[in-house]
Tab-separated table of all heavy atoms in Angstrom:
chain	number	residue	atom	x	y	z
B	133	THR	N	168.847	135.721	57.576
B	133	THR	CA	169.968	134.890	58.041
B	133	THR	C	169.465	133.633	58.751
B	133	THR	O	168.374	133.616	59.316
B	133	THR	CB	170.865	135.686	59.021
B	133	THR	OG1	170.010	136.420	59.915
B	133	THR	CG2	171.775	136.640	58.285
B	134	PRO	N	170.269	132.584	58.719
B	134	PRO	CA	169.869	131.344	59.402
B	134	PRO	C	169.950	131.503	60.919
B	134	PRO	O	170.622	132.402	61.427
B	134	PRO	CB	170.888	130.322	58.895
B	134	PRO	CG	172.075	131.122	58.500
B	134	PRO	CD	171.563	132.456	58.031
B	135	ILE	N	169.277	130.614	61.614
B	135	ILE	CA	169.248	130.663	63.079
B	135	ILE	C	170.657	130.561	63.664
B	135	ILE	O	171.008	131.241	64.631
B	135	ILE	CB	168.353	129.515	63.627
B	135	ILE	CG1	166.925	129.619	63.059
B	135	ILE	CG2	168.341	129.500	65.148
B	135	ILE	CD1	166.185	130.897	63.355
B	136	SER	N	171.482	129.728	63.023
B	136	SER	CA	172.823	129.493	63.571
B	136	SER	C	173.684	130.753	63.531
B	136	SER	O	174.725	130.805	64.179
B	136	SER	CB	173.518	128.374	62.790
B	136	SER	OG	173.669	128.763	61.432
B	137	ALA	N	173.270	131.775	62.782
B	137	ALA	CA	174.026	133.026	62.768
B	137	ALA	C	173.799	133.820	64.055
B	137	ALA	O	174.495	134.792	64.310
B	137	ALA	CB	173.629	133.857	61.550
B	138	HIS	N	172.813	133.405	64.855
B	138	HIS	CA	172.433	134.189	66.036
B	138	HIS	C	172.566	133.435	67.353
B	138	HIS	O	172.917	134.027	68.364
B	138	HIS	CB	170.994	134.701	65.869
B	138	HIS	CG	170.818	135.464	64.599
B	138	HIS	ND1	171.142	136.794	64.487
B	138	HIS	CD2	170.409	135.068	63.364
B	138	HIS	CE1	170.923	137.199	63.241
B	138	HIS	NE2	170.482	136.173	62.548
B	139	VAL	N	172.252	132.142	67.339
B	139	VAL	CA	172.341	131.359	68.575
B	139	VAL	C	172.946	129.995	68.260
B	139	VAL	O	172.868	129.536	67.107
B	139	VAL	CB	170.942	131.149	69.224
B	139	VAL	CG1	170.336	132.471	69.669
B	139	VAL	CG2	170.002	130.403	68.286
B	140	PRO	N	173.536	129.333	69.244
B	140	PRO	CA	174.019	127.966	68.996
B	140	PRO	C	172.830	127.037	68.749
B	140	PRO	O	171.794	127.176	69.410
B	140	PRO	CB	174.723	127.591	70.304
B	140	PRO	CG	174.902	128.862	71.054
B	140	PRO	CD	173.798	129.777	70.617
B	141	VAL	N	172.973	126.155	67.778
B	141	VAL	CA	171.900	125.186	67.513
B	141	VAL	C	172.444	123.776	67.721
B	141	VAL	O	173.632	123.527	67.543
B	141	VAL	CB	171.306	125.333	66.094
B	141	VAL	CG1	170.764	126.731	65.859
B	141	VAL	CG2	172.333	124.981	65.035
B	142	ASP	N	171.543	122.882	68.133
B	142	ASP	CA	171.978	121.527	68.452
B	142	ASP	C	171.903	120.580	67.257
B	142	ASP	O	172.658	119.623	67.166
B	142	ASP	CB	171.141	120.976	69.611
B	142	ASP	CG	171.319	121.829	70.845
B	142	ASP	OD1	172.460	121.901	71.323
B	142	ASP	OD2	170.338	122.453	71.297
B	143	PHE	N	170.977	120.848	66.359
B	143	PHE	CA	170.891	120.001	65.164
B	143	PHE	C	170.198	120.783	64.059
B	143	PHE	O	169.291	121.577	64.329
B	143	PHE	CB	170.115	118.708	65.459
B	143	PHE	CG	170.261	117.674	64.362
B	143	PHE	CD1	171.397	116.875	64.282
B	143	PHE	CD2	169.270	117.513	63.392
B	143	PHE	CE1	171.550	115.942	63.265
B	143	PHE	CE2	169.424	116.574	62.364
B	143	PHE	CZ	170.556	115.785	62.306
B	144	GLU	N	170.651	120.572	62.828
B	144	GLU	CA	170.009	121.214	61.675
B	144	GLU	C	169.453	120.143	60.757
B	144	GLU	O	170.187	119.256	60.313
B	144	GLU	CB	171.024	122.081	60.905
B	144	GLU	CG	171.446	123.314	61.675
B	144	GLU	CD	172.256	124.286	60.821
B	144	GLU	OE1	173.108	123.815	60.058
B	144	GLU	OE2	172.018	125.508	60.935
Side-chain angles (χ1 to χ4, degrees):
Chain B
T133 43
I135 302 301
S136 62
H138 305 277
V139 296
V141 302
D142 299 298
F143 193 80
E144 290 190 318

